[in-house]
Amino acid sequence: LSLKRGAIILAIANGGVVSVFNLHDNAAGSVVVQANGIKAITLTPGRHVSVASAHQAIDFAYINQVRKIGYRGIKANTSNGVATYVSDFSIPSAISAVKPLKAMFRSNDKPVLS
C-alpha cells in the first residue's frame, strides 16, 4: 500500500482478505494498492479494492467485509492465485456503516499533519 500525504483511507484486514477504500486524496496516484502477483491498482476517491487468495474468493458477496456499504460496478480479476474486486463505493454509506469512521468525521479534533 502506497499513500501520499493528505490521503484518507479505510483499510480492513480480516481472515486473509484486505479491503482498501479511498475516502479522500489531494492528487492522482495518492492511493496505490499492490499485492504479490498483481498489477498495481490506483484508487481514486470513492473507489475500493478487496484482495484475497483466489481459493477464498468465490465471489465478492462471500468476501465483502462491510455489507452495509453501497457498491457498484464491481470488476473481478484473478491472477497468479490472487483475486481482486475493484468497484465504486458510496462514501456516505461507508461513514454511516463503520462506527470508528463515523466518529472520526463527527470529531472536532483537527488532523495532525507532519
Side-chain angles (χ1 to χ4, degrees), residues 1 5 8 14 25 31 35 44 48-49 54 63 67-68 72 74 77 84 89 95 100 111:
L1 178 62
R5 182 183 174 140
I8 300 172
N14 187 18
D25 66 39
V31 179
T44 55
H48 127 277
V49 63
I63 67 159
R67 296 185 190 326
K68 291 184 178 181
R72 72 173 180 194
I74 300 167
N77 186 36
T84 58
F89 74 96
I95 293 168

Side-chain angles (χ1 to χ4, degrees), residues 49-103:
V49 63
S50 289
V51 181
S53 65
H55 74 273
Q56 275 185 298
I58 297 165
D59 63 27
F60 180 67
Y62 182 76
I63 67 159
N64 182 7
Q65 300 191 75
V66 189
R67 296 185 190 326
K68 291 184 178 181
I69 293 177
Y71 301 90
R72 72 173 180 194
I74 300 167
K75 305 274 189 219
N77 186 36
T78 302
S79 177
N80 297 321
V82 178
T84 58
Y85 296 89
V86 179
S87 73
D88 294 331
F89 74 96
S90 166
I91 293 174
S93 72
I95 293 168
S96 177
V98 180
K99 289 181 183 180
L101 193 56
K102 185 184 238 180

